[in-house]
Amino acid sequence: MQFLLLVVGLLFGTVFIVGIGERIRLPYPILMLVFSPLLASLPFVPDVHIEPDLILPLFLPPLLFAAAQRSSWSMFRLRWRSLVLLAVLLVVATVAAAAAVTSWLVPAVGCRSRLRSGRSSRRRIRSRSRRSRAT
């Protein structure tokens, strides 16, 4: 029950900070960086441990919904080429960087395995976090 209250409180706090950011025209991630240490330093706030796998499905959807409400389709239609190009280029750049680091650290690994390591790095991180929870 305490965990549920904590999650609901954090969700309300996130919505509150996003609203403040809109009113003073400051990006909400900056406000979260400012308010999070302030909240953590208060003596009555308990130490909290939230599983990393829960952060994405609990807190990202409300933030994406708020961003979608503020976005305009006309701006998206105007800049769709640059958005798609950046999305594809950033994925390719990430895979290439992971392959380059793998090649540098383990020179005996073949090209196909290096690219596969760049593509599957997210899966490894997730499985590693699950193993650490089991122990």
Side-chain angles (χ1 to χ4, degrees):
M1 183 67 178
Q2 184 180 6
F3 181 74
L4 180 65
L5 289 175
L6 172 71
V7 169
V8 170
L10 286 175
L11 284 173
F12 280 126
T14 302
V15 170
F16 180 71
I17 289 176
V18 168
I20 290 175
E22 287 178 358
R23 287 184 191 263
I24 62 175
R25 295 181 182 252
L26 195 65
Y28 67 87
I30 292 175
L31 289 176
M32 287 189 186
L33 279 173
V34 170
F35 283 117
S36 297
L38 292 176
L39 181 67
S41 65
L42 295 176
F44 59 86
V45 176
D47 290 339
V48 177
H49 176 71
I50 298 176
E51 295 295 325
D53 293 341
L54 291 177
I55 296 295
L56 184 68
L58 286 179
F59 294 102
L60 190 62
L63 295 176
L64 287 177
F65 181 75
Q69 293 293 325
R70 289 189 308 269
S71 63
S72 70
W73 281 103
S74 61
M75 189 61 68
F76 182 77
R77 272 187 248 123
L78 181 68
R79 297 187 178 158
W80 73 271
R81 284 188 185 125
S82 60
L83 291 172
V84 170
L85 186 65
L86 279 174
V88 171
L89 282 178
L90 290 176
V91 169
V92 170
T94 302
V95 169
V101 168
T102 303
S103 172
W104 178 61
L105 291 175
V106 187
V109 174
C111 181
R112 183 179 255 169
S113 296
R114 283 182 271 175
L115 290 175
R116 195 174 295 134
S117 72
R119 185 189 68 195
S120 65
S121 61
R122 181 172 177 249
R123 247 182 289 152
R124 286 189 193 148
I125 292 170
R126 191 181 321 150
S127 67
R128 194 178 306 144
S129 68
R130 285 185 184 150
R131 270 187 266 136
S132 66
R133 270 188 295 183
T135 58

